[in-house]
Coordinates of all heavy atoms in Angstrom, one line a residue:
M1 N 56.9 -22.4 15.7 CA 57.7 -22.7 14.6 C 58.6 -23.9 14.9 O 58.8 -24.7 14.1 CB 58.6 -21.4 14.4 CG 59.5 -21.6 13.2 SD 60.5 -20.2 12.8 CE 61.9 -20.4 13.8
F2 N 59.1 -23.9 16.1 CA 60.0 -25.1 16.5 C 59.3 -26.4 16.5 O 59.9 -27.4 16.3 CB 60.8 -24.8 17.8 CG 61.9 -23.9 17.6 CD1 61.8 -22.6 18.1 CD2 63.0 -24.2 16.9 CE1 63.0 -21.7 17.9 CE2 64.1 -23.4 16.7 CZ 64.1 -22.2 17.2
A3 N 58.0 -26.4 16.8 CA 57.2 -27.6 16.7 C 57.3 -28.2 15.3 O 57.4 -29.4 15.1 CB 55.8 -27.4 17.2
I4 N 57.1 -27.4 14.3 CA 57.2 -27.7 12.9 C 58.6 -28.2 12.5 O 58.7 -29.2 11.9 CB 56.7 -26.6 12.0 CG1 55.3 -26.2 12.3 CG2 57.0 -26.9 10.5 CD1 54.9 -24.9 11.6
V5 N 59.6 -27.5 13.0 CA 60.9 -27.9 12.7 C 61.2 -29.3 13.3 O 61.8 -30.2 12.7 CB 62.0 -26.9 13.2 CG1 63.4 -27.3 13.1 CG2 61.8 -25.6 12.6
K6 N 60.8 -29.4 14.6 CA 61.0 -30.7 15.3 C 60.3 -31.9 14.7 O 61.0 -32.9 14.4 CB 60.5 -30.6 16.7 CG 60.7 -31.7 17.7 CD 60.2 -31.6 19.0 CE 60.2 -32.8 19.8 NZ 59.7 -32.7 21.1
Q7 N 59.1 -31.6 14.1 CA 58.4 -32.7 13.5 C 59.0 -33.1 12.1 O 59.2 -34.2 11.8 CB 57.0 -32.3 13.3 CG 56.1 -33.4 12.6 CD 54.7 -32.9 12.4 OE1 54.3 -31.8 12.6 NE2 53.8 -33.8 11.9
S8 N 59.5 -32.0 11.4 CA 60.1 -32.3 10.1 C 61.5 -33.0 10.4 O 61.7 -34.0 9.6 CB 60.5 -30.9 9.4 OG 59.3 -30.3 9.1
L9 N 62.2 -32.7 11.4 CA 63.4 -33.4 11.6 C 63.2 -34.8 12.1 O 64.0 -35.7 11.7 CB 64.2 -32.6 12.7 CG 64.8 -31.2 12.2 CD1 65.4 -30.5 13.4 CD2 65.7 -31.3 11.1
S10 N 62.1 -35.0 12.9 CA 61.9 -36.4 13.3 C 61.4 -37.3 12.2 O 61.7 -38.5 12.3 CB 60.9 -36.4 14.5 OG 59.6 -36.0 14.0
N11 N 60.9 -36.7 11.2 CA 60.4 -37.5 10.0 C 61.5 -37.7 9.0 O 61.2 -38.3 8.0 CB 59.2 -37.0 9.5 CG 57.9 -37.2 10.5 OD1 57.9 -38.0 11.2 ND2 57.1 -36.1 10.5
S12 N 62.6 -37.0 9.1 CA 63.6 -37.0 8.1 C 64.5 -38.2 8.2 O 64.8 -38.7 9.4 CB 64.5 -35.7 8.2 OG 63.7 -34.6 8.0
T13 N 65.1 -38.7 7.1 CA 66.1 -39.8 7.2 C 67.4 -39.3 7.4 O 67.6 -38.0 7.4 CB 66.0 -40.5 5.9 OG1 66.5 -39.7 4.8 CG2 64.7 -41.1 5.5
Q14 N 68.3 -40.2 7.8 CA 69.7 -39.7 8.0 C 70.3 -39.1 6.7 O 71.0 -38.0 6.9 CB 70.5 -40.9 8.4 CG 72.0 -40.6 8.7 CD 72.9 -41.8 9.0 OE1 72.4 -42.9 9.1 NE2 74.1 -41.6 9.3
A15 N 69.9 -39.6 5.6 CA 70.5 -39.1 4.4 C 70.0 -37.6 4.1 O 70.8 -36.7 3.7 CB 70.2 -39.9 3.1
I16 N 68.8 -37.3 4.4 CA 68.1 -36.0 4.2 C 68.7 -35.1 5.2 O 69.2 -33.9 4.8 CB 66.6 -36.0 4.3 CG1 66.0 -36.8 3.2 CG2 66.1 -34.6 4.5 CD1 64.6 -37.0 3.3
L17 N 69.0 -35.5 6.4 CA 69.6 -34.6 7.4 C 71.0 -34.3 7.1 O 71.5 -33.1 7.2 CB 69.5 -35.3 8.8 CG 68.2 -35.4 9.5 CD1 68.2 -36.3 10.7 CD2 67.7 -34.0 9.8
E18 N 71.8 -35.3 6.7 CA 73.1 -35.0 6.4 C 73.3 -34.1 5.2 O 74.2 -33.3 5.0 CB 73.9 -36.3 6.2 CG 74.1 -37.0 7.5 CD 74.9 -38.2 7.5 OE1 75.4 -38.6 6.5 OE2 75.0 -38.9 8.6
A19 N 72.3 -34.2 4.2 CA 72.5 -33.4 3.0 C 72.1 -31.9 3.3 O 72.5 -31.0 2.6 CB 71.4 -33.9 1.9
N20 N 71.3 -31.7 4.3 CA 70.9 -30.3 4.7 C 71.6 -29.9 6.0 O 71.2 -28.9 6.6 CB 69.4 -30.3 4.9 CG 68.7 -30.6 3.6 OD1 68.7 -29.7 2.8 ND2 68.0 -31.7 3.5
L21 N 72.7 -30.6 6.4 CA 73.3 -30.2 7.7 C 73.9 -29.0 7.8 O 73.8 -28.2 8.8 CB 74.4 -31.3 8.1 CG 75.0 -31.3 9.5 CD1 73.9 -31.5 10.5 CD2 76.0 -32.3 9.6
L22 N 74.5 -28.4 6.8 CA 75.0 -27.1 6.7 C 74.0 -25.9 7.0 O 74.2 -25.1 7.8 CB 75.8 -26.8 5.5 CG 77.2 -27.6 5.3 CD1 77.8 -27.2 4.0 CD2 78.1 -27.2 6.5
D23 N 72.8 -26.1 6.3 CA 71.8 -25.1 6.5 C 71.3 -25.2 8.0 O 70.9 -24.3 8.6 CB 70.6 -25.3 5.6 CG 71.1 -24.9 4.2 OD1 71.9 -24.1 4.0 OD2 70.6 -25.4 3.2
L24 N 71.1 -26.4 8.5 CA 70.6 -26.7 9.8 C 71.5 -26.1 10.8 O 71.1 -25.5 11.8 CB 70.5 -28.2 10.0 CG 69.1 -28.7 10.3 CD1 68.7 -29.8 9.4 CD2 69.0 -29.1 11.7
Q25 N 72.8 -26.3 10.6 CA 73.8 -25.8 11.5 C 73.7 -24.3 11.6 O 73.8 -23.8 12.7 CB 75.2 -26.1 10.8 CG 76.2 -26.8 11.8 CD 77.4 -27.1 10.9 OE1 77.5 -28.2 10.3 NE2 78.4 -26.3 11.0
K26 N 73.6 -23.6 10.4 CA 73.5 -22.2 10.4 C 72.3 -21.7 11.2 O 72.3 -20.7 12.0 CB 73.4 -21.6 9.0 CG 74.7 -21.7 8.2 CD 74.6 -21.3 6.8 CE 75.7 -21.6 5.9 NZ 75.4 -21.3 4.5
F27 N 71.2 -22.4 11.0 CA 69.9 -22.1 11.6 C 70.1 -22.2 13.2 O 69.7 -21.3 13.9 CB 68.8 -22.8 11.1 CG 67.5 -22.7 11.8 CD1 66.7 -21.6 11.7 CD2 67.0 -23.7 12.7 CE1 65.5 -21.4 12.3 CE2 65.8 -23.6 13.3 CZ 65.0 -22.3 13.2
I28 N 70.6 -23.3 13.6 CA 70.7 -23.6 15.0 C 71.7 -22.6 15.7 O 71.5 -22.1 16.7 CB 71.2 -25.1 15.3 CG1 70.0 -25.9 15.0 CG2 71.7 -25.2 16.7 CD1 70.3 -27.4 14.8
I29 N 72.8 -22.2 15.0 CA 73.8 -21.3 15.5 C 73.1 -20.0 15.7 O 73.2 -19.3 16.7 CB 75.0 -21.3 14.7 CG1 75.8 -22.5 14.9 CG2 75.9 -20.0 15.0 CD1 76.9 -22.7 13.9
K30 N 72.3 -19.6 14.7 CA 71.6 -18.3 14.8 C 70.7 -18.3 16.0 O 70.5 -17.2 16.7 CB 70.9 -18.0 13.5 CG 70.2 -16.7 13.3 CD 69.7 -16.5 12.0 CE 70.2 -15.2 11.5 NZ 70.0 -14.9 10.1
V31 N 69.9 -19.3 16.2 CA 68.9 -19.4 17.3 C 69.7 -19.4 18.6 O 69.3 -18.7 19.5 CB 68.1 -20.6 17.1 CG1 67.2 -20.7 18.4 CG2 67.1 -20.5 15.9
L32 N 70.7 -20.2 18.7 CA 71.5 -20.2 20.0 C 72.2 -18.9 20.2 O 72.6 -18.7 21.4 CB 72.4 -21.4 20.0 CG 71.7 -22.8 20.0 CD1 72.8 -23.9 20.0 CD2 70.9 -23.0 21.3
D33 N 72.5 -18.2 19.2 CA 73.1 -16.8 19.3 C 72.1 -15.7 19.7 O 72.4 -14.5 19.9 CB 73.8 -16.4 18.1 CG 74.9 -15.4 18.4 OD1 75.4 -15.4 19.5 OD2 75.2 -14.7 17.4
Y34 N 70.8 -16.1 19.8 CA 69.7 -15.1 20.1 C 69.9 -14.4 21.4 O 69.7 -13.3 21.5 CB 68.4 -15.9 20.2 CG 67.2 -15.1 20.4 CD1 66.6 -14.4 19.2 CD2 66.6 -14.9 21.6 CE1 65.5 -13.7 19.4 CE2 65.5 -14.1 21.7 CZ 64.9 -13.6 20.6 OH 63.8 -12.7 20.8
R35 N 70.5 -15.2 22.3 CA 70.7 -14.5 23.7 C 71.7 -13.3 23.5 O 71.5 -12.3 24.1 CB 71.3 -15.5 24.7 CG 71.6 -15.0 26.0 CD 72.2 -16.0 27.0 NE 71.3 -17.1 27.1 CZ 70.2 -17.2 28.1 NH1 70.1 -16.2 28.9 NH2 69.5 -18.3 28.2
T36 N 72.8 -13.5 22.8 CA 73.7 -12.5 22.6 C 73.1 -11.2 21.8 O 73.4 -10.1 22.2 CB 74.9 -12.9 21.8 OG1 75.5 -14.0 22.5 CG2 76.0 -11.9 21.6
K37 N 72.4 -11.5 20.8 CA 71.9 -10.5 19.9 C 70.7 -9.6 20.5 O 70.5 -8.5 20.2 CB 71.4 -11.1 18.6 CG 72.5 -11.8 17.8 CD 73.5 -10.9 17.2 CE 74.5 -11.7 16.4 NZ 75.7 -11.1 16.3
N38 N 70.0 -10.3 21.4 CA 68.7 -9.7 22.0 C 68.7 -9.6 23.5 O 67.6 -9.4 24.0 CB 67.5 -10.5 21.4 CG 67.4 -10.6 19.9 OD1 67.1 -9.5 19.3 ND2 67.7 -11.7 19.4
Q39 N 69.8 -9.6 24.0 CA 69.9 -9.6 25.5 C 69.3 -8.4 26.1 O 68.6 -8.4 27.1 CB 71.4 -9.7 25.9 CG 71.6 -10.0 27.4 CD 73.0 -10.3 27.6 OE1 73.9 -9.9 26.8 NE2 73.4 -11.0 28.7
S40 N 69.4 -7.2 25.5 CA 68.8 -6.1 26.1 C 67.4 -5.8 25.9 O 66.7 -5.1 26.7 CB 69.6 -4.9 25.5 OG 69.4 -4.8 24.1
I41 N 66.8 -6.5 24.9 CA 65.3 -6.3 24.6 C 64.4 -7.5 25.1 O 63.2 -7.4 25.1 CB 65.1 -6.1 23.1 CG1 65.5 -7.2 22.3 CG2 65.8 -4.7 22.7 CD1 65.2 -7.1 20.9
N42 N 64.9 -8.6 25.5 CA 64.3 -9.7 26.0 C 64.6 -10.2 27.3 O 65.8 -10.0 27.8 CB 64.4 -10.9 25.0 CG 63.5 -10.8 23.8 OD1 62.4 -10.5 23.9 ND2 64.2 -11.0 22.6
S43 N 63.6 -10.7 28.1 CA 63.9 -11.2 29.3 C 64.6 -12.6 29.2 O 64.5 -13.2 28.2 CB 62.7 -11.4 30.2 OG 61.8 -12.4 29.6
D44 N 65.3 -13.0 30.3 CA 65.9 -14.3 30.3 C 64.9 -15.4 30.1 O 65.2 -16.4 29.6 CB 66.7 -14.6 31.6 CG 68.0 -13.9 31.6 OD1 68.5 -13.5 30.5 OD2 68.6 -13.8 32.7
K45 N 63.7 -15.2 30.7 CA 62.6 -16.1 30.5 C 62.2 -16.5 29.0 O 62.1 -17.6 28.7 CB 61.3 -15.7 31.3 CG 60.2 -16.7 31.3 CD 59.0 -16.2 32.0 CE 57.8 -17.1 31.9 NZ 56.7 -16.6 32.6
N46 N 62.1 -15.4 28.4 CA 61.8 -15.6 26.9 C 63.0 -16.3 26.1 O 62.7 -17.0 25.3 CB 61.5 -14.2 26.3 CG 60.2 -13.6 26.7 OD1 59.3 -14.3 27.1 ND2 60.1 -12.3 26.5
V47 N 64.2 -15.8 26.4 CA 65.3 -16.4 25.8 C 65.5 -17.9 26.1 O 65.7 -18.7 25.2 CB 66.6 -15.6 26.2 CG1 67.9 -16.3 25.6 CG2 66.5 -14.2 25.6
N48 N 65.2 -18.2 27.4 CA 65.3 -19.6 27.8 C 64.3 -20.4 27.1 O 64.5 -21.6 26.6 CB 65.1 -19.7 29.3 CG 66.4 -19.2 30.1 OD1 67.5 -19.1 29.5 ND2 66.2 -19.0 31.4
M49 N 63.0 -19.9 26.9 CA 62.0 -20.6 26.2 C 62.4 -20.8 24.7 O 62.2 -22.0 24.2 CB 60.7 -19.8 26.2 CG 59.6 -20.5 25.5 SD 58.1 -19.6 25.2 CE 58.7 -18.4 24.0
I50 N 63.0 -19.9 24.0 CA 63.4 -20.1 22.7 C 64.6 -21.1 22.6 O 64.5 -22.0 21.8 CB 63.9 -18.7 22.1 CG1 62.7 -17.8 21.9 CG2 64.6 -18.9 20.8 CD1 63.0 -16.4 21.6
E51 N 65.5 -21.0 23.5 CA 66.6 -22.0 23.5 C 66.1 -23.3 23.8 O 66.5 -24.4 23.2 CB 67.7 -21.6 24.6 CG 68.4 -20.4 24.2 CD 69.4 -19.9 25.2 OE1 69.3 -20.4 26.4 OE2 70.3 -19.1 24.9
D52 N 65.1 -23.5 24.8 CA 64.5 -24.8 25.1 C 64.0 -25.5 23.9 O 64.1 -26.7 23.6 CB 63.5 -24.8 26.1 CG 64.1 -24.5 27.5 OD1 65.4 -24.6 27.7 OD2 63.3 -24.1 28.5
R53 N 63.2 -24.7 23.0 CA 62.5 -25.3 21.8 C 63.6 -25.6 20.9 O 63.4 -26.7 20.1 CB 61.5 -24.2 21.2 CG 60.4 -23.8 22.1 CD 59.5 -24.9 22.6 NE 58.5 -24.5 23.6 CZ 58.6 -24.6 24.8 NH1 59.7 -25.0 25.4 NH2 57.7 -24.2 25.6
C54 N 64.6 -24.8 20.7 CA 65.7 -25.2 19.7 C 66.4 -26.4 20.2 O 66.6 -27.3 19.3 CB 66.7 -24.0 19.7 SG 68.1 -24.3 18.6
I55 N 66.7 -26.5 21.4 CA 67.3 -27.8 22.0 C 66.4 -29.0 21.8 O 67.0 -30.1 21.4 CB 67.8 -27.6 23.4 CG1 68.9 -26.6 23.5 CG2 68.1 -28.9 24.1 CD1 69.2 -26.0 24.9
E56 N 65.1 -28.9 21.9 CA 64.2 -29.9 21.7 C 64.3 -30.4 20.2 O 64.3 -31.6 19.9 CB 62.8 -29.6 21.9 CG 62.4 -29.5 23.5 CD 61.1 -29.0 23.7 OE1 60.3 -28.8 22.7 OE2 60.8 -28.6 24.8
A57 N 64.5 -29.5 19.3 CA 64.7 -29.8 17.8 C 66.0 -30.6 17.6 O 66.1 -31.5 16.8 CB 64.5 -28.6 17.0
I58 N 67.1 -30.0 18.3 CA 68.4 -30.6 18.2 C 68.4 -32.1 18.6 O 68.9 -33.0 17.9 CB 69.4 -29.9 18.9 CG1 69.6 -28.5 18.4 CG2 70.8 -30.6 19.0 CD1 70.5 -27.5 19.2
I59 N 67.7 -32.3 19.7 CA 67.6 -33.7 20.3 C 67.0 -34.6 19.3 O 67.2 -35.8 19.4 CB 66.9 -33.6 21.7 CG1 67.7 -32.9 22.7 CG2 66.5 -35.0 22.1 CD1 67.0 -32.6 24.0
T60 N 66.1 -34.0 18.5 CA 65.3 -34.9 17.6 C 66.2 -35.4 16.4 O 66.1 -36.6 16.0 CB 64.1 -34.1 17.0 OG1 63.3 -33.6 18.0 CG2 63.4 -34.9 15.9
F61 N 67.2 -34.7 16.0 CA 67.9 -35.1 14.8 C 69.3 -35.6 15.1 O 69.9 -36.4 14.3 CB 67.9 -34.1 13.7 CG 68.9 -33.0 13.9 CD1 70.2 -33.1 13.4 CD2 68.5 -31.8 14.5 CE1 71.1 -32.1 13.5 CE2 69.5 -30.8 14.7 CZ 70.8 -30.9 14.2
V62 N 69.9 -35.2 16.2 CA 71.3 -35.5 16.5 C 71.5 -37.1 16.5 O 72.5 -37.5 16.0 CB 71.9 -34.8 17.8 CG1 73.2 -35.5 18.3 CG2 72.1 -33.3 17.4
P63 N 70.7 -37.8 17.2 CA 70.8 -39.2 17.2 C 70.9 -40.0 15.8 O 71.4 -41.0 15.6 CB 69.7 -39.8 18.0 CG 69.3 -38.7 18.8 CD 69.5 -37.4 18.1
K64 N 70.3 -39.3 14.8 CA 70.3 -39.8 13.4 C 71.6 -39.5 12.6 O 71.8 -40.1 11.6 CB 69.1 -39.2 12.6 CG 67.8 -39.5 13.2 CD 66.7 -38.9 12.3 CE 65.3 -39.3 12.9 NZ 64.2 -38.8 12.0
L65 N 72.5 -38.7 13.2 CA 73.7 -38.3 12.5 C 74.8 -39.4 12.7 O 74.9 -40.0 13.8 CB 74.2 -37.0 13.0 CG 73.4 -35.8 12.7 CD1 74.0 -34.5 13.3 CD2 73.2 -35.5 11.2
S66 N 75.6 -39.6 11.7 CA 76.7 -40.5 11.9 C 77.8 -39.7 12.7 O 77.7 -38.4 12.8 CB 77.3 -40.9 10.5 OG 77.9 -39.8 9.8
E67 N 78.8 -40.4 13.2 CA 79.8 -39.7 13.9 C 80.5 -38.7 13.1 O 80.9 -37.6 13.5 CB 80.8 -40.8 14.5 CG 82.0 -40.1 15.3 CD 82.9 -41.1 15.9 OE1 82.6 -42.3 15.8 OE2 83.9 -40.7 16.4
N68 N 80.8 -39.1 11.8 CA 81.5 -38.2 10.9 C 80.7 -36.9 10.6 O 81.2 -35.9 10.3 CB 81.7 -38.9 9.6 CG 82.8 -40.0 9.7 OD1 83.6 -39.9 10.6 ND2 82.8 -41.0 8.9
S69 N 79.4 -37.0 10.6 CA 78.6 -35.8 10.5 C 78.4 -35.0 11.8 O 78.3 -33.7 11.8 CB 77.1 -36.1 10.0 OG 77.3 -36.8 8.7
F70 N 78.3 -35.7 12.9 CA 78.1 -35.1 14.2 C 79.3 -34.3 14.6 O 79.1 -33.2 15.2 CB 77.7 -36.0 15.3 CG 77.6 -35.4 16.6 CD1 76.5 -34.7 16.9 CD2 78.5 -35.6 17.6 CE1 76.4 -34.0 18.2 CE2 78.4 -35.0 18.8 CZ 77.4 -34.2 19.1
R71 N 80.4 -34.8 14.4 CA 81.7 -34.2 14.9 C 81.9 -32.7 14.5 O 82.0 -31.8 15.2 CB 82.9 -35.0 14.6 CG 84.2 -34.6 15.3 CD 85.4 -35.5 14.9 NE 85.0 -36.9 15.1 CZ 85.5 -37.7 16.1 NH1 86.3 -37.1 17.0 NH2 85.1 -39.0 16.3
P72 N 81.8 -32.5 13.2 CA 81.9 -31.1 12.7 C 80.8 -30.2 13.1 O 81.0 -29.1 13.4 CB 82.0 -31.2 11.1 CG 81.8 -32.6 10.8 CD 81.8 -33.4 12.0
F73 N 79.6 -30.8 13.2 CA 78.4 -30.1 13.7 C 78.7 -29.6 15.1 O 78.5 -28.5 15.5 CB 77.2 -30.9 13.6 CG 76.0 -30.4 14.3 CD1 75.2 -29.4 13.9 CD2 75.6 -30.9 15.6 CE1 74.2 -28.8 14.5 CE2 74.5 -30.3 16.2 CZ 73.8 -29.3 15.7
F74 N 79.1 -30.6 16.0 CA 79.4 -30.2 17.4 C 80.4 -29.1 17.5 O 80.3 -28.2 18.2 CB 79.8 -31.5 18.1 CG 80.1 -31.2 19.6 CD1 79.2 -31.2 20.5 CD2 81.5 -31.1 20.0 CE1 79.5 -30.9 21.9 CE2 81.8 -30.8 21.3 CZ 80.8 -30.8 22.3
Y75 N 81.6 -29.2 16.8 CA 82.6 -28.2 16.8 C 82.2 -26.9 16.3 O 82.5 -25.9 17.0 CB 83.8 -28.7 16.1 CG 84.6 -29.8 16.8 CD1 85.0 -30.9 16.0 CD2 84.9 -29.9 18.1 CE1 85.6 -32.0 16.5 CE2 85.5 -31.0 18.7 CZ 85.9 -32.0 18.0 OH 86.5 -33.0 18.5
K76 N 81.4 -26.9 15.3 CA 80.9 -25.6 14.8 C 80.0 -24.9 15.8 O 80.0 -23.7 16.0 CB 80.1 -25.8 13.4 CG 79.6 -24.6 12.8 CD 80.8 -23.8 12.1 CE 80.2 -22.7 11.3 NZ 81.2 -21.9 10.7
V77 N 79.0 -25.7 16.3 CA 78.0 -25.1 17.3 C 78.7 -24.6 18.5 O 78.3 -23.7 19.1 CB 77.0 -26.1 17.6 CG1 76.0 -25.7 18.6 CG2 76.1 -26.3 16.3
T78 N 79.8 -25.3 19.0 CA 80.3 -24.9 20.3 C 81.5 -23.9 20.1 O 82.0 -23.5 21.2 CB 80.9 -26.2 21.0 OG1 81.8 -26.9 20.1 CG2 79.8 -27.1 21.4
M79 N 81.8 -23.5 19.0 CA 82.8 -22.5 18.8 C 82.3 -21.1 19.3 O 81.1 -20.8 19.3 CB 83.1 -22.2 17.3 CG 83.9 -23.5 16.8 SD 84.4 -23.4 15.0 CE 84.9 -21.6 14.8
T80 N 83.2 -20.2 19.6 CA 82.9 -18.8 20.1 C 82.5 -18.1 18.9 O 82.9 -18.2 17.8 CB 84.1 -18.2 20.6 OG1 84.7 -18.9 21.8 CG2 83.8 -16.7 21.2
N81 N 81.4 -17.2 19.1 CA 80.9 -16.4 17.9 C 81.9 -15.3 17.5 O 83.0 -15.1 18.3 CB 79.5 -15.9 18.2 CG 79.6 -14.9 19.4 OD1 80.6 -14.4 19.7 ND2 78.4 -14.6 19.9
D82 N 81.7 -14.6 16.5 CA 82.6 -13.6 15.9 C 82.8 -12.5 16.9 O 84.0 -11.8 16.9 CB 81.9 -13.0 14.7 CG 81.9 -14.0 13.6 OD1 82.6 -14.9 13.6 OD2 81.1 -13.7 12.7
D83 N 81.9 -12.2 17.9 CA 82.1 -11.0 18.8 C 82.9 -11.5 20.0 O 83.2 -10.8 20.9 CB 80.7 -10.6 19.3 CG 79.9 -10.0 18.2 OD1 80.5 -9.6 17.2 OD2 78.7 -10.1 18.4
G84 N 83.4 -12.7 20.0 CA 84.2 -13.3 21.2 C 83.3 -13.7 22.4 O 83.8 -14.0 23.4
H85 N 81.9 -13.8 22.2 CA 81.1 -14.2 23.3 C 80.9 -15.7 23.2 O 81.0 -16.3 22.1 CB 79.7 -13.5 23.2 CG 79.8 -12.0 23.3 ND1 79.8 -11.1 22.3 CD2 79.9 -11.3 24.5 CE1 79.9 -9.9 22.7 NE2 79.9 -10.0 24.0
N86 N 80.7 -16.3 24.3 CA 80.5 -17.8 24.4 C 79.1 -18.1 24.6 O 78.9 -19.3 25.0 CB 81.4 -18.4 25.5 CG 82.9 -18.3 25.1 OD1 83.2 -18.5 24.0 ND2 83.8 -18.2 26.0
E87 N 78.1 -17.3 24.4 CA 76.8 -17.6 24.8 C 76.2 -18.8 24.0 O 75.5 -19.6 24.4 CB 75.8 -16.3 24.6 CG 75.9 -15.4 25.7 CD 77.1 -14.4 25.6 OE1 77.9 -14.6 24.6 OE2 77.2 -13.6 26.5
V88 N 76.6 -18.9 22.6 CA 76.2 -20.1 22.0 C 76.8 -21.3 22.5 O 76.0 -22.4 22.7 CB 76.7 -19.9 20.5 CG1 76.4 -21.3 19.8 CG2 76.1 -18.8 19.8
S89 N 78.0 -21.3 23.0 CA 78.6 -22.5 23.7 C 77.8 -22.8 24.9 O 77.5 -23.9 25.2 CB 80.1 -22.2 24.0 OG 80.8 -22.1 22.8
F90 N 77.5 -21.7 25.7 CA 76.8 -21.9 26.9 C 75.4 -22.5 26.7 O 75.0 -23.4 27.3 CB 76.7 -20.7 27.8 CG 78.0 -20.1 28.3 CD1 78.3 -18.7 28.2 CD2 78.9 -21.0 28.8 CE1 79.5 -18.2 28.7 CE2 80.2 -20.5 29.3 CZ 80.4 -19.1 29.2
S91 N 74.7 -22.0 25.7 CA 73.4 -22.5 25.4 C 73.5 -24.0 24.9 O 72.7 -24.9 25.3 CB 72.8 -21.7 24.2 OG 72.6 -20.4 24.6
F92 N 74.5 -24.3 24.1 CA 74.8 -25.7 23.7 C 75.1 -26.6 24.9 O 74.7 -27.7 25.0 CB 75.8 -25.8 22.6 CG 75.7 -27.1 21.9 CD1 74.7 -27.4 20.9 CD2 76.7 -28.0 22.1 CE1 74.7 -28.6 20.3 CE2 76.6 -29.3 21.4 CZ 75.7 -29.5 20.6
L93 N 75.9 -26.1 25.8 CA 76.2 -26.9 27.0 C 75.1 -27.1 27.9 O 74.9 -28.2 28.4 CB 77.4 -26.2 27.8 CG 78.8 -26.2 27.2 CD1 79.7 -25.4 28.0 CD2 79.3 -27.6 27.1
Y94 N 74.2 -26.2 27.9 CA 72.9 -26.4 28.6 C 72.1 -27.5 28.0 O 71.6 -28.4 28.8 CB 72.1 -25.1 28.5 CG 70.6 -25.1 29.0 CD1 70.4 -25.2 30.4 CD2 69.6 -25.2 28.1 CE1 69.1 -25.3 30.8 CE2 68.3 -25.2 28.6 CZ 68.0 -25.4 29.9 OH 66.8 -25.4 30.3
F95 N 72.2 -27.6 26.8 CA 71.6 -28.8 26.1 C 72.2 -30.1 26.5 O 71.5 -31.1 26.7 CB 71.6 -28.6 24.5 CG 71.7 -29.9 23.7 CD1 70.6 -30.6 23.6 CD2 72.8 -30.3 23.1 CE1 70.6 -31.8 22.9 CE2 72.9 -31.5 22.3 CZ 71.8 -32.2 22.3
T96 N 73.5 -30.2 26.7 CA 74.2 -31.4 27.0 C 74.0 -31.9 28.4 O 74.1 -33.1 28.7 CB 75.7 -31.3 26.7 OG1 76.2 -30.3 27.6 CG2 76.1 -31.0 25.3
F97 N 73.5 -31.0 29.2 CA 73.1 -31.5 30.6 C 71.7 -31.9 30.6 O 71.1 -32.5 31.3 CB 73.4 -30.4 31.7 CG 74.9 -30.1 31.9 CD1 75.4 -28.8 31.4 CD2 75.7 -31.0 32.3 CE1 76.7 -28.6 31.5 CE2 77.1 -30.7 32.5 CZ 77.5 -29.5 32.1

């Protein structure tokens, strides 16, 4: 699935990405929150694989964003989730290294 997302994002223009940024944000946050929601039923290996594929997709479109679009995206993705867990932030920080 992420191969399709990655390909779609790589072929998208900046205008298309920015027009769909809120939906993309929600999707990415949901995927990066996968570790928190499924920690008891999945191994770290499976979760890492899912996060790696998501991060590959993020890497595809982030360079196309303007600074004004990237800044709110970055803050939203790195915020603590509703349960007070920071796993999304940790997953995103993994991406930055």
Side-chain angles (χ1 to χ4, degrees):
M1 178 175 94
F2 281 109
I4 295 168
V5 171
K6 182 179 174 183
Q7 183 179 6
S8 296
L9 293 172
S10 68
N11 293 327
S12 297
T13 64
Q14 180 181 3
I16 292 171
L17 288 172
E18 290 184 4
N20 295 292
L21 191 58
L22 290 177
D23 291 330
L24 240 129
Q25 232 175 273
K26 290 177 191 175
F27 175 70
I28 288 169
I29 289 169
K30 187 174 230 169
V31 172
L32 292 178
D33 200 29
Y34 185 82
R35 180 178 302 273
T36 305
K37 303 288 186 211
N38 299 289
Q39 194 169 21
S40 62
I41 60 172
N42 278 309
S43 69
D44 281 344
K45 183 179 176 183
N46 288 339
V47 173
N48 289 341
M49 183 190 68
I50 292 168
E51 288 175 347
D52 287 346
R53 300 301 178 263
C54 180
I55 289 167
E56 288 173 10
I58 293 170
I59 291 169
T60 301
F61 81 90
V62 164
K64 294 181 180 185
L65 297 177
S66 67
E67 182 181 351
N68 291 336
S69 296
F70 176 73
R71 190 179 309 252
F73 168 77
F74 179 80
Y75 290 134
K76 181 77 172 178
V77 171
T78 57
M79 287 176 45
T80 304
N81 65 16
D82 294 338
D83 299 333
H85 295 102
N86 287 325
E87 281 81 1
V88 173
S89 296
F90 293 139
S91 297
F92 195 74
L93 288 174
Y94 172 72
F95 153 68
T96 60
F97 292 112

